[in-house]
Amino acid sequence: MPVQLLKIKGESETLLPSHLQKENLQDLQEGCDHTNKYIQGIVTLSYPLTKLGDGTDFFKIVLQDSDNLSSKINSINVLIYGKMAEECARITRHGETFIVAGFKVIKLPTAKEDGRHGCHLEVSEEAGSTIYICTKPGTTAASETASVSVAPKYVYTPLNHLKDGTIVNLYGVVKFFKPPYISKGTDYCSVVTLVDPSDVKLTCSLFSGNLDALPKIYKVGDIVRFHRIKIREYNGQMQGITSGGFASLTFDGTVGAPVVPRTSSKVYTFMDEEQKTVEELRIWAASNISISGPAAKLSGVQPMQFFDLTCQLVGKAKVDGSSFLLKVWDGTRCPYPTWKVPVEAKDLEGDKVLLHQLRDLVVDILVYDNHVQLAESLKIGSFLRIYSIHTKQASADNEDVSHIEFHLHGGTCYGRGIGALPESNPDVKELKAFLESVHLADSQNMESMCSMDMDSTFGNVTDLELHLQRCQQLSVTVLTDHQDLTNTELKTIINSTAPQQYRIRAKLRAYKPQKLHQSVKLHCSRCNSLQEVPDRDDFDFILRGSAGTASNPELHNTSWYESVTWTTQDQKQREITIHFVKRDEMLQNPEDTLLMIEGGTLKEIWKLSRRFKCVIPVRSTEDDLELLDLSAPFLLQGNVKYYGCKQCSTPKPVKNLSSLAAEQQTSWEPTEIAQVLGIELLQYVFIMKFTLVDETGAINAYLFDYEKFFQIPASEILTNNFLQQKMQMTMNTLCPPGRKLGDLPWLECFIRSYNVRDAMKNQVYYQIFDTTVAEDVV
Ligand SMILES: [Zn+2]
C-alpha cells in the first residue's frame, strides 16, 4: 500500500523506515540523488482531482515546511499521478502532515511564486513513491489501520527464473533489437532480445500506442530495466510481452559511461544498488556479448553491405505511396558517386540553401513500406540512427560509372528500422561537434578566399595535392621477395619473350570475376586440373543416394571405433550410424574427435561438423566402410569441406584410418587423413584475372592464390561472410568502382610470363606471384 496513514503519537520519524532521511526544502535540487530522502510538510492547499489527457488521475497539493516557516523558501508543489492521486485526494486534509519519499524533483521553467520552491515534486506508484499522511487523532474518518511499511522495493528476476504467467521486473543486456515500428493497427511495436549472466535469452515483444513508452534502445549492448513485463511460455521458451503498467529504463552499456536512464516517464525510482546492477551488467556484457563497433561513417561505406548510420536529417520527401526519401549527412563524404532520387522540388521539405551547400555530403536514403509512416513524422534537423541500410551498386543507362544507392528495405529483419536520437545521446553530441567543425572549415575557407590572401590559400591547396599524390604513390600491395628487381614498363614486357620475371608498378583497371565467390576453385597439384567447387545440391544428392545402403552391423564397434545406431523420429524413420574413432584406444572430447557417419542428411552432417573435429561420411560394404563418391567432400572440418581429385585418387579401405588413430599425437590433419585414405587432396584457390595498366600499356595477369595475396584462406571464403566482406573491401580499395584511372591506387607486383602452346599457336600468359595486399588496406 503506497499511501500510508500514520497515527501520530510522537515524532513521525520513529514510524518511518529507518533508511529514510529528512531533506530540507532549501537543499532540494534537480539532479541530486533523493533515493533515501523524504520531504515533510503541512498540506496548505489542494486542488481538485482531475484527469490528464491520457486518462491518468492527477492531484496537486502545496506543502509548507512547518519547521522552517521563517526561511525564504518554505513551500513546494507536489504533483501526484495515477492511482496514488486518487487515494491522496480521498484522504488528504488541509493541516495534515504529509510525507513523501521516492519523488522526482523537476525544475520549473518559469519564475517561482513567492516563497515557493523553484522545483516541484512528482510522485506516482509507478515511480515507487510512498506517501505517509500523519493524521491528527480524531480528525480522520479513515480506518484504524495505522500500519507502517517500507517504500516499495522492486524485486528483479534473473532470466533463468522466469515462470509462465507471471508479471515480473527484470534487468537485461540487449543482444538484439528492432527499433519501434508501426505494427498492424496504430500501435508501435519493438522487439528486444535480452540476456543476463544466467546465460538465458528472453525475447520481448513490446507494444504501445505511445512511441515514447517503448524503451529507448540505440544499440546492442544497451542495458534495460523492465517493470511489470508479462512472461508467457511459448514453444518451450519464455517470452516477454507488455502488460498494463509496463515501464522501462534504458542505460548506455558502455563500461564507465554515466549511469543515466533514458526514459520518457516523468516519475521513476532508481536506487543506489541499481546503479551497481547496471555497472555489473556492463562488465559482464563487455566480455560476453559481441557488441558491434562504432557504426559506419558515410566515408567508410562499401557497395553491397548493410550498416547502421548515425546522421542528421536535412531533407525529406514523399516519393510514392510505398517509399519515402530521407536526405541525411554525417559530415563525411561517401567515396563513391551516390544516387539522387528524383523528386519534385515542391515535395522536398528542408532548407534549400543548406541542402545546396551540403550537396556533396548529403546522401539519399529511400525507405520503404512499414518505415514510411515513421519517416514522414521525423523532424528536419533531428538526429537519427538508421539500422541496416543496404548499399546497392547500380548504374543508370546514361552513366558509364556505377553509383551507390542506399535502401532501407521494408520489414524488420536484422533489426532494420529508424530511431530518433535525443541530443543528449553521446553519439549525437559527438556527431554535432563534428558537423559543426565541418561548417567551420567551410567558413574558414570562405574567409581566406575573401581576404584575398592568395598565397596561403594556394599554399593549402598545394599541400593537399602533395599529400594526395603521396597517398597515390604509396602502393597498396607489398612485395614479399626479390627486392633487387627494378620496375619494368608493361610495354617492354609485352614486347619480350617468355618466360621471364618482372617487377611492375601498375593500376588495376578491371578484374574478373566481379562476383568474388566465383573466383574460388579447387586445384589438383598432381594433375594441375581446376574444377568448380561442388555445391550443396551435389552433396545432398550423393547423401540421398547412399542413404539406401543399410549399415552393416558386423562393422560396428571395432578396436578403433565405437558405434551408435538410432532411428529418426520423423516419418521416414531413417537409420543413422555414427562411428566415433578412438585414439590410442580412448574416446576423446568432441572437439578432438573424428567420427564417421552413415545415413545422415546434409543438415545433420553440418551440425556434427560444428561440434566434432572431423566428420567423414561413409557407407557400409560387405567387409569395410567406404568413402562416398568423390563429388562429395570426403572430410568436413568446421566450415571447410575437403574434396579429393577424381582422376588422381585411388581410395583405400577406411580401416587404414586406424593407423592414424593409433598414434598418440595425431591432430587429424586433412593432408594426413587424405594420404592414408588414398585421396589426392584438392586445394581451394583464388583464380582471378587482373587487367593491369601503366602509362605504356596494359596486360592481363592471372592471380593464382591459396591465401597469400589476400591473406585470406581460399578454403574459408565460401562459408565466411566476414572474410567475403573483407575480400570485397580489399578489391574495392585496389580498384574502387566509379573512379577515373588517374585516381586509382598503384599496385606493385611481381609477374612472371609463361608460354602456353597448342596445336595452332603459342601464347604468352602472365601470372602474379610473391605479392601480397598491404596490411593497412584491409
Ligand atoms: Zn588430380
Side-chain angles (χ1 to χ4, degrees):
M1 209 167 93
V3 181
Q4 307 288 341
L5 291 175
L6 305 179
K7 270 190 184 168
I8 296 189
K9 293 204 174 81
E11 278 292 294
S12 57
E13 279 95 324
T14 56
L15 298 164
L16 292 174
S18 59
H19 70 275
L20 289 176
Q21 286 175 350
K22 190 174 173 188
E23 175 83 300
N24 285 322
L25 276 189
Q26 293 97 311
D27 302 332
L28 194 66
Q29 276 179 23
E30 194 188 36
C32 294
D33 181 9
H34 304 290
T35 313
N36 294 318
K37 300 286 169 61
Y38 71 88
I39 293 285
Q40 178 178 342
I42 306 283
V43 181
T44 55
L45 193 57
S46 65
Y47 295 81
L49 179 74
T50 52
K51 274 195 194 302
L52 298 177
D54 61 356
T56 311
D57 284 321
F58 175 70
F59 183 57
K60 179 176 165 183
I61 59 169
V62 179
L63 287 189
Q64 193 171 58
D65 187 350
S66 49
D67 295 342
N68 294 292
L69 276 175
S70 56
S71 78
K72 241 173 153 184
I73 296 163
N74 61 21
S75 66
I76 189 164
N77 292 341
V78 181
L79 280 47
I80 308 162
Y81 294 87
K83 200 165 153 239
M84 213 173 225
E86 189 258 322
E87 270 186 85
C88 285
R90 194 158 43 81
I91 58 177
T92 304
R93 301 220 152 91
H94 291 182
E96 284 177 337
T97 301
F98 193 97
I99 296 169
V100 52
F103 50 82
K104 194 174 176 198
V105 180
I106 305 290
K107 201 164 163 43
L108 299 175
T110 50
K112 52 192 179 243
E113 299 162 50
D114 231 359
R116 198 71 55 85
H117 199 285
C119 296
H120 67 230
L121 305 182
E122 291 188 341
V123 296
S124 72
E125 197 176 347
E126 282 73 19
S129 311
T130 313
I131 290 170
Y132 304 90
I133 301 171
C134 311
T135 61
K136 289 176 199 146
T139 61
T140 179
S143 69
E144 296 292 311
T145 56
S147 61
V148 178
S149 80
V150 289
K153 215 171 141 193
Y154 289 92
V155 174
Y156 296 97
T157 311
L159 298 185
N160 60 342
H161 287 164
L162 299 174
K163 291 198 175 60
D164 186 24
T166 55
I167 292 180
V168 298
N169 307 314
L170 51 85
Y171 267 97
V173 183
V174 176
K175 192 166 187 216
F176 170 80
F177 73 104
K178 293 181 178 184
Y181 58 94
I182 293 170
S183 64
K184 292 181 190 77
T186 54
D187 266 10
Y188 287 92
C189 174
S190 180
V191 175
V192 187
T193 301
L194 303 178
V195 287
D196 75 359
S198 71
D199 256 341
V200 168
K201 206 169 75 176
L202 178 73
T203 298
C204 303
S205 303
L206 311 173
F207 296 90
S208 174
N210 175 11
L211 179 61
D212 283 335
L214 293 174
K216 301 183 181 314
I217 298 166
Y218 303 134
K219 53 187 171 199
V220 169
D222 277 352
I223 290 165
V224 294
R225 186 189 82 176
F226 288 167
H227 277 177
R228 291 171 293 277
I229 181 130
K230 190 171 176 180
I231 303 299
R232 61 178 189 196
E233 194 174 336
Y234 183 76
N235 270 350
Q237 282 213 312
M238 293 301 170
Q239 294 188 334
I241 187 158
T242 30
S243 72
F246 169 79
S248 70
L249 298 181
T250 311
F251 302 88
D252 191 322
T254 314
V255 175
V259 181
V260 183
R262 297 173 204 148
T263 175
S264 59
S265 172
K266 290 207 169 56
V267 280
Y268 60 86
T269 52
F270 190 64
M271 311 284 195
D272 279 352
E273 60 237 54
E274 295 186 70
Q275 164 133 6
K276 224 177 112 216
T277 307
V278 171
E279 282 166 353
E280 282 168 2
L281 280 174
R282 282 174 170 176
I283 290 166
W284 175 80
S287 53
N288 288 281
I289 292 198
S290 60
I291 294 164
S292 50
K297 290 272 179 200
L298 286 174
S299 58
V301 300
Q302 300 289 341
M304 308 304 287
Q305 65 166 190
F306 290 88
F307 72 105
D308 300 344
L309 180 68
T310 305
C311 54
Q312 187 182 29
L313 183 67
V314 285
K316 61 176 188 174
K318 196 177 161 76
V319 179
D320 57 40
S322 66
S323 61
F324 195 86
L325 168 65
L326 297 178
K327 284 180 171 285
V328 303
W329 76 312
D330 73 353
T332 70
R333 187 192 296 255
C334 176
Y336 305 95
T338 62
W339 71 334
K340 293 293 168 211
V341 178
V343 287
E344 300 245 354
K346 67 173 169 53
D347 292 335
L348 184 63
E349 202 181 313
D351 181 341
K352 302 280 187 304
V353 177
L354 184 67
L355 278 167
H356 182 74
Q357 278 173 354
L358 300 178
R359 64 191 178 280
D360 292 338
L361 299 175
V362 164
V363 299
D364 286 7
I365 299 176
L366 203 54
V367 312
Y368 297 86
D369 304 338
N370 57 315
H371 309 301
V372 169
Q373 202 176 339
L374 189 82
E376 278 175 339
S377 72
L378 297 170
K379 288 195 180 62
I380 299 291
S382 58
F383 292 92
L384 309 176
R385 185 167 288 140
I386 309 180
Y387 301 92
S388 204
I389 301 172
H390 182 202
T391 57
K392 227 164 114 180
Q393 198 168 3
S395 53
D397 295 338
N398 55 351
E399 288 177 37
D400 358 323
V401 291
S402 58
H403 59 247
I404 282 198
E405 301 178 354
F406 297 89
H407 300 269
L408 184 71
H409 299 296
T412 59
C413 303
Y414 309 108
R416 207 177 285 149
I418 307 171
L421 302 178
E423 307 229 341
S424 59
N425 180 282
D427 293 340
V428 168
K429 283 185 185 160
E430 195 182 313
L431 176 61
K432 263 177 95 172
F434 181 66
L435 295 184
E436 274 156 22
S437 75
V438 173
H439 278 305
L440 197 67
D442 278 352
S443 60
Q444 276 174 347
N445 278 350
M446 288 300 285
E447 263 169 41
S448 59
M449 294 290 265
C450 294
S451 69
M452 299 296 284
D453 187 1
M454 295 307 268
D455 274 358
S456 69
T457 310
F458 275 118
N460 287 337
V461 171
T462 318
D463 281 352
L464 185 66
E465 281 185 346
L466 273 177
H467 174 72
L468 285 175
Q469 279 173 10
R470 262 199 300 274
C471 286
Q472 284 172 13
Q473 277 164 0
L474 285 174
S475 175
V476 288
T477 50
V478 174
L479 306 174
T480 56
D481 204 350
H482 326 282
Q483 297 298 340
D484 49 320
L485 271 176
T486 53
N487 288 340
T488 308
E489 290 183 335
L490 294 186
K491 193 174 83 183
T492 314
I493 298 174
I494 294 164
N495 293 330
S496 308
T497 53
Q500 282 187 67
Q501 298 190 350
Y502 306 97
R503 172 175 173 162
I504 62 162
R505 186 164 177 276
K507 295 184 175 198
L508 179 57
R509 192 172 65 192
Y511 61 89
K512 276 185 180 172
Q514 282 281 314
K515 289 196 176 121
L516 292 177
H517 66 268
Q518 293 174 347
S519 67
V520 181
K521 312 280 180 209
L522 291 170
H523 177 242
C524 174
S525 51
R526 183 180 287 185
C527 66
N528 212 21
S529 68
L530 278 174
Q531 64 170 80
E532 296 293 335
V533 181
D535 64 20
R536 46 179 294 166
D537 292 344
D538 299 332
F539 189 17
D540 195 33
F541 182 76
I542 291 165
L543 287 175
R544 283 167 196 276
S546 69
T549 314
S551 178
N552 179 356
E554 286 174 26
L555 303 173
H556 292 188
N557 295 313
T558 66
S559 63
W560 62 284
Y561 59 77
E562 271 185 37
S563 310
V564 180
T565 299
W566 72 94
T567 309
T568 58
Q569 297 296 310
D570 58 17
Q571 289 175 338
K572 289 182 185 155
Q573 307 247 310
R574 286 176 298 116
E575 198 173 77
I576 301 173
T577 303
I578 294 185
H579 310 283
F580 296 95
V581 175
K582 296 187 278 191
R583 219 160 63 189
D584 198 19
E585 297 184 7
M586 302 270 284
L587 281 176
Q588 306 291 311
N589 293 328
E591 60 272 21
D592 300 319
T593 296
L594 181 145
L595 64 83
M596 300 175 288
I597 178 167
E598 295 182 73
T601 61
L602 198 60
K603 214 169 148 188
E604 287 156 355
I605 289 177
W606 274 346
K607 268 194 180 163
L608 289 168
S609 68
R610 298 275 184 287
R611 175 107 206 278
F612 293 88
K613 171 102 183 178
C614 300
V615 175
I616 299 183
V618 294
R619 67 178 159 224
S620 289
T621 64
E622 258 174 40
D623 46 12
D624 194 10
L625 299 169
E626 68 174 13
L627 297 176
L628 308 184
D629 185 281
L630 286 183
S631 304
F634 75 94
L635 169 70
L636 295 95
Q637 263 196 9
N639 279 328
V640 184
K641 301 183 195 68
Y642 292 90
Y643 294 89
C645 178
K646 280 186 180 177
Q647 285 182 57
C648 307
S649 302
T650 38
K652 293 180 188 163
V654 165
K655 62 169 168 274
N656 284 2
L657 267 180
S658 63
S659 63
L660 277 183
E663 283 176 26
Q664 280 190 347
Q665 291 300 324
T666 188
S667 55
W668 299 126
E669 283 301 318
T671 45
E672 289 178 359
I673 296 171
Q675 202 185 1
V676 297
L677 292 176
I679 299 294
E680 185 65 37
L681 191 62
L682 293 176
Q683 278 186 288
Y684 287 86
V685 64
F686 293 112
I687 308 274
M688 298 179 78
K689 186 166 89 175
F690 281 12
T691 303
L692 296 166
V693 296
D694 68 3
E695 296 85 351
T696 66
I699 58 167
N700 286 325
Y702 288 88
L703 178 73
F704 181 95
D705 176 56
Y706 296 114
E707 64 177 314
K708 187 171 174 183
F709 185 80
F710 292 109
Q711 298 173 53
I712 295 172
S715 57
E716 286 175 36
I717 193 95
L718 292 177
T719 50
N720 188 322
N721 285 333
F722 171 74
L723 291 180
Q724 280 170 25
Q725 273 182 16
K726 187 174 159 184
M727 183 168 167
Q728 181 72 59
M729 281 162 68
T730 304
M731 290 315 298
N732 287 339
T733 309
L734 302 186
C735 185
R739 285 289 178 89
K740 280 184 276 175
L741 189 57
D743 295 336
L744 296 181
W746 287 105
L747 273 67
E748 288 200 300
C749 306
F750 289 118
I751 59 170
R752 64 163 68 94
S753 59
Y754 57 99
N755 293 302
V756 175
R757 289 190 187 83
D758 63 18
M760 302 298 291
K761 57 179 180 184
N762 177 40
Q763 220 177 334
V764 177
Y765 284 84
Y766 303 95
Q767 187 187 328
I768 297 168
F769 73 102
D770 282 348
T771 305
T772 189
V773 172
E775 243 170 63
D776 54 357
V777 165
V778 282

